[in-house]
Amino acid sequence: MERLEDCISFLIGKAQQQVAKASRDALAPFGVTPVQFAILKVLWEQDGLNGAELGARIVLDSATMTGLIDRMEAAGLLERRADPGGDRRMSRVYLSKKGAQLEAPCDAAMDRVNKQIVAMLGKERASRLWRDLERLGGVAGPDRNARSPAAPPRSR
């Protein structure tokens, strides 16, 4: 490799820094970080998951998930409740009223971030980038074929 800019790790890292900063800035007015947004997003889709299910969905280990859930519970964004099936070893995570009320404004904020990226790259390149990132990251959007980053799914 002749130049640092020929290193994929460097380029992805720099792109990640820019997108992370835009996401942090967009979510800051709501007191939510990007990873907290991811947890909320999953709970807006399906409330009442346990920590392991949440961690599997956003690909985080259980120790990290526990700390995040602790902080989000302390911030009043969600709450733990006993498993309704009676398993005393497990609790379920539910949105609080505050956490539920953040869905529309946080989704709108992240839609704006997505649109900034699309505007920078153009719709076709952005759509390819999203697919390539899903493949590189080992994640797949559930309905990716039905939409593009230029037209993200609307909030409920």
Side-chain angles (χ1 to χ4, degrees):
M1 157 178 356
E2 292 183 27
R3 310 170 311 134
L4 177 61
E5 292 78 6
D6 295 333
C7 179
I8 189 72
S9 177
F10 175 77
L11 294 175
I12 288 175
K14 292 295 137 190
Q16 188 275 338
Q17 287 174 345
Q18 295 299 315
V19 173
K21 181 184 183 323
S23 299
R24 280 192 311 272
D25 292 348
L27 294 169
F30 311 105
V32 173
T33 67
V35 71
Q36 290 173 340
F37 170 78
I39 292 168
L40 290 170
K41 188 71 180 166
V42 170
L43 291 173
W44 294 326
E45 293 169 4
Q46 184 179 356
D47 206 12
L49 298 175
N50 65 42
E53 293 166 334
L54 277 169
R57 178 68 171 83
I58 62 174
V59 194
L60 285 177
D61 63 83
S62 62
T64 302
M65 275 307 308
T66 300
L68 285 162
I69 292 168
D70 288 345
R71 286 188 293 283
M72 292 176 75
E73 188 173 32
L77 297 171
L78 40 91
E79 57 190 46
R80 286 184 177 102
R81 294 185 207 152
D83 179 61
D87 186 345
R88 295 187 337 209
R89 299 167 297 163
M90 183 185 343
S91 63
R92 300 248 167 219
V93 181
Y94 293 88
L95 293 163
S96 67
K97 183 177 180 180
K98 179 180 177 182
Q101 290 173 337
L102 289 176
E103 182 176 10
C106 285
D107 273 349
M110 292 308 291
D111 283 346
R112 287 189 298 274
V113 171
N114 283 351
K115 287 177 184 173
Q116 289 171 356
I117 302 302
V118 171
M120 184 185 308
L121 298 175
K123 287 182 183 182
E124 187 176 318
R125 286 175 66 192
S127 184
R128 279 195 314 266
L129 175 64
W130 255 255
R131 284 192 310 270
D132 291 346
L133 290 172
E134 285 175 341
R135 186 171 185 172
L136 281 171
V139 297
D143 60 352
R144 170 54 62 202
N145 292 332
R147 63 184 166 85
S148 74
R154 294 307 321 147
S155 302
R156 289 180 272 165

Coordinates of all heavy atoms in Angstrom, one line a residue, residues 102-139:
L102 N -40.1 9.6 22.5 CA -38.9 10.0 21.7 C -38.9 9.4 20.3 O -38.1 9.8 19.5 CB -37.6 9.6 22.4 CG -37.3 10.5 23.6 CD1 -36.1 10.0 24.3 CD2 -37.2 11.9 23.3
E103 N -39.8 8.4 20.0 CA -39.8 7.7 18.7 C -39.8 8.7 17.5 O -38.9 8.7 16.7 CB -40.9 6.7 18.6 CG -40.8 5.9 17.3 CD -41.8 4.8 17.2 OE1 -42.7 4.8 18.0 OE2 -41.7 4.0 16.2
A104 N -40.8 9.5 17.4 CA -41.0 10.4 16.3 C -39.9 11.4 16.1 O -39.3 11.5 15.1 CB -42.4 11.1 16.3
P105 N -39.5 12.1 17.2 CA -38.4 13.1 17.0 C -37.0 12.5 16.8 O -36.3 13.0 16.0 CB -38.4 13.9 18.3 CG -39.2 13.1 19.3 CD -40.1 12.2 18.5
C106 N -36.7 11.3 17.4 CA -35.4 10.7 17.1 C -35.4 10.1 15.7 O -34.4 10.2 15.0 CB -35.1 9.6 18.2 SG -34.7 10.3 19.8
D107 N -36.5 9.4 15.3 CA -36.5 8.9 13.9 C -36.4 10.1 12.9 O -35.6 9.9 12.0 CB -37.9 8.2 13.7 CG -37.8 6.7 14.1 OD1 -36.8 6.2 14.4 OD2 -38.9 6.1 14.1
A108 N -37.0 11.2 13.2 CA -36.9 12.3 12.3 C -35.4 12.8 12.2 O -34.9 13.2 11.2 CB -37.9 13.4 12.6
A109 N -34.8 12.9 13.4 CA -33.4 13.3 13.5 C -32.5 12.4 12.7 O -31.6 12.9 11.9 CB -33.0 13.4 14.9
M110 N -32.7 11.1 12.8 CA -31.8 10.2 12.1 C -32.2 10.1 10.6 O -31.3 9.9 9.8 CB -31.9 8.8 12.8 CG -31.3 8.8 14.1 SD -29.6 9.4 14.2 CE -28.7 8.2 13.3
D111 N -33.5 10.3 10.3 CA -33.8 10.5 8.9 C -33.1 11.6 8.2 O -32.6 11.5 7.1 CB -35.3 10.7 8.7 CG -36.1 9.4 8.9 OD1 -35.6 8.3 8.9 OD2 -37.4 9.5 9.0
R112 N -32.9 12.7 9.0 CA -32.2 13.9 8.4 C -30.7 13.5 8.2 O -30.1 13.9 7.2 CB -32.3 15.1 9.4 CG -33.7 15.7 9.3 CD -33.7 17.1 10.1 NE -33.4 17.0 11.5 CZ -34.4 16.7 12.4 NH1 -35.6 16.4 12.1 NH2 -34.0 16.6 13.7
V113 N -30.1 12.8 9.1 CA -28.7 12.3 8.9 C -28.6 11.5 7.7 O -27.7 11.7 6.9 CB -28.2 11.6 10.2 CG1 -26.8 10.9 9.9 CG2 -28.1 12.5 11.4
N114 N -29.5 10.5 7.5 CA -29.5 9.6 6.3 C -29.6 10.5 5.1 O -28.9 10.3 4.1 CB -30.6 8.6 6.4 CG -30.4 7.5 7.3 OD1 -29.3 7.3 7.8 ND2 -31.4 6.7 7.6
K115 N -30.5 11.5 5.1 CA -30.7 12.3 3.9 C -29.5 13.2 3.6 O -29.2 13.4 2.4 CB -31.9 13.2 4.1 CG -33.2 12.4 4.0 CD -34.5 13.2 4.2 CE -35.7 12.3 4.2 NZ -36.9 13.0 4.6
Q116 N -28.7 13.6 4.6 CA -27.5 14.3 4.4 C -26.5 13.4 3.7 O -25.8 13.9 2.7 CB -26.9 14.7 5.7 CG -27.6 15.8 6.5 CD -27.0 16.0 7.9 OE1 -26.1 15.3 8.3 NE2 -27.5 17.1 8.6
I117 N -26.4 12.2 4.1 CA -25.5 11.2 3.4 C -25.9 11.0 2.0 O -25.1 11.0 1.0 CB -25.4 9.9 4.2 CG1 -24.9 10.2 5.6 CG2 -24.4 8.9 3.5 CD1 -23.6 10.9 5.8
V118 N -27.2 10.8 1.8 CA -27.7 10.6 0.4 C -27.5 11.8 -0.5 O -27.1 11.6 -1.6 CB -29.2 10.2 0.5 CG1 -29.9 10.2 -0.9 CG2 -29.5 8.9 1.2
A119 N -27.7 13.0 0.1 CA -27.4 14.2 -0.7 C -26.0 14.3 -1.1 O -25.6 14.7 -2.2 CB -27.9 15.4 0.1
M120 N -25.1 13.9 -0.2 CA -23.7 14.0 -0.4 C -23.2 13.0 -1.5 O -22.4 13.3 -2.4 CB -22.9 13.7 0.9 CG -21.4 13.8 0.8 SD -20.5 13.3 2.3 CE -21.4 14.2 3.5
L121 N -23.8 11.8 -1.5 CA -23.4 10.7 -2.4 C -24.3 10.6 -3.7 O -23.8 10.0 -4.7 CB -23.4 9.4 -1.7 CG -22.5 9.2 -0.5 CD1 -22.7 7.9 0.2 CD2 -21.0 9.4 -1.0
G122 N -25.5 11.0 -3.6 CA -26.5 10.7 -4.6 C -27.2 9.4 -4.3 O -26.7 8.5 -3.6
K123 N -28.5 9.3 -4.8 CA -29.3 8.2 -4.4 C -28.7 6.8 -4.8 O -28.8 5.9 -4.0 CB -30.7 8.3 -5.0 CG -31.5 9.4 -4.3 CD -32.9 9.4 -4.9 CE -33.7 10.6 -4.3 NZ -35.1 10.6 -4.8
E124 N -28.3 6.7 -6.0 CA -27.8 5.4 -6.5 C -26.5 4.9 -5.7 O -26.4 3.8 -5.2 CB -27.5 5.4 -8.0 CG -27.1 4.1 -8.5 CD -26.9 4.1 -10.1 OE1 -27.7 4.8 -10.7 OE2 -26.0 3.5 -10.5
R125 N -25.6 5.8 -5.5 CA -24.4 5.5 -4.8 C -24.7 5.2 -3.3 O -24.1 4.3 -2.7 CB -23.3 6.6 -4.9 CG -22.7 6.7 -6.3 CD -21.7 7.8 -6.4 NE -20.6 7.7 -5.5 CZ -19.8 8.7 -5.2 NH1 -19.9 9.9 -5.8 NH2 -18.7 8.5 -4.4
A126 N -25.6 6.0 -2.7 CA -26.0 5.8 -1.3 C -26.6 4.4 -1.2 O -26.3 3.7 -0.2 CB -26.9 6.9 -0.9
S127 N -27.5 4.1 -2.1 CA -28.2 2.8 -2.0 C -27.2 1.6 -2.1 O -27.3 0.7 -1.3 CB -29.2 2.7 -3.1 OG -29.9 1.5 -3.0
R128 N -26.2 1.7 -2.9 CA -25.1 0.7 -3.0 C -24.3 0.7 -1.7 O -24.0 -0.4 -1.2 CB -24.2 1.0 -4.2 CG -24.8 0.5 -5.5 CD -23.7 0.4 -6.6 NE -22.9 1.6 -6.7 CZ -23.1 2.7 -7.5 NH1 -24.1 2.7 -8.3 NH2 -22.3 3.7 -7.6
L129 N -24.0 1.9 -1.2 CA -23.2 1.9 0.0 C -24.0 1.2 1.2 O -23.4 0.4 1.9 CB -22.9 3.4 0.4 CG -22.2 3.6 1.8 CD1 -20.8 2.9 1.7 CD2 -22.1 5.0 2.1
W130 N -25.3 1.5 1.3 CA -26.1 0.8 2.4 C -26.0 -0.7 2.2 O -25.8 -1.4 3.2 CB -27.5 1.3 2.3 CG -27.9 2.3 3.4 CD1 -28.7 2.0 4.5 CD2 -27.6 3.7 3.4 NE1 -28.9 3.2 5.2 CE2 -28.2 4.2 4.6 CE3 -26.9 4.6 2.6 CZ2 -28.2 5.5 5.0 CZ3 -26.8 5.9 3.0 CH2 -27.4 6.4 4.1
R131 N -26.2 -1.2 1.0 CA -26.1 -2.6 0.8 C -24.7 -3.2 1.1 O -24.6 -4.2 1.7 CB -26.5 -3.0 -0.6 CG -28.0 -2.9 -0.9 CD -28.4 -3.5 -2.2 NE -27.6 -3.0 -3.4 CZ -27.9 -1.9 -4.1 NH1 -29.0 -1.2 -3.9 NH2 -27.1 -1.6 -5.1
D132 N -23.7 -2.5 0.7 CA -22.3 -2.9 0.9 C -22.0 -2.9 2.4 O -21.4 -3.8 2.9 CB -21.3 -2.0 0.2 CG -21.4 -2.2 -1.4 OD1 -22.0 -3.2 -1.8 OD2 -20.9 -1.3 -2.1
L133 N -22.5 -1.9 3.1 CA -22.2 -1.8 4.6 C -23.0 -2.9 5.3 O -22.4 -3.5 6.3 CB -22.6 -0.4 5.1 CG -21.7 0.7 4.7 CD1 -22.2 2.0 5.1 CD2 -20.3 0.5 5.2
E134 N -24.2 -3.2 4.9 CA -24.9 -4.3 5.5 C -24.1 -5.6 5.3 O -24.0 -6.4 6.2 CB -26.3 -4.5 4.8 CG -27.3 -3.4 5.3 CD -28.6 -3.5 4.6 OE1 -28.7 -4.2 3.5 OE2 -29.6 -3.0 5.1
R135 N -23.6 -5.8 4.1 CA -22.8 -7.0 3.8 C -21.5 -7.1 4.6 O -21.2 -8.1 5.3 CB -22.5 -7.1 2.3 CG -21.9 -8.4 2.0 CD -21.8 -8.6 0.5 NE -21.2 -9.9 0.1 CZ -21.2 -10.4 -1.0 NH1 -21.6 -9.7 -2.1 NH2 -20.7 -11.5 -1.3
L136 N -20.8 -6.0 4.6 CA -19.5 -5.9 5.4 C -19.8 -6.1 6.9 O -19.0 -6.7 7.6 CB -18.8 -4.6 5.1 CG -18.0 -4.4 3.9 CD1 -17.6 -3.0 3.7 CD2 -16.8 -5.4 3.8
G137 N -20.8 -5.5 7.4 CA -21.1 -5.6 8.8 C -21.8 -6.8 9.2 O -22.0 -7.1 10.4
G138 N -22.2 -7.7 8.3 CA -22.9 -8.9 8.6 C -24.3 -8.7 9.2 O -24.8 -9.5 10.0
V139 N -24.9 -7.6 8.8 CA -26.3 -7.3 9.2 C -27.1 -7.1 7.9 O -26.7 -6.7 6.9 CB -26.4 -6.0 10.1 CG1 -25.6 -6.2 11.3 CG2 -25.9 -4.8 9.3

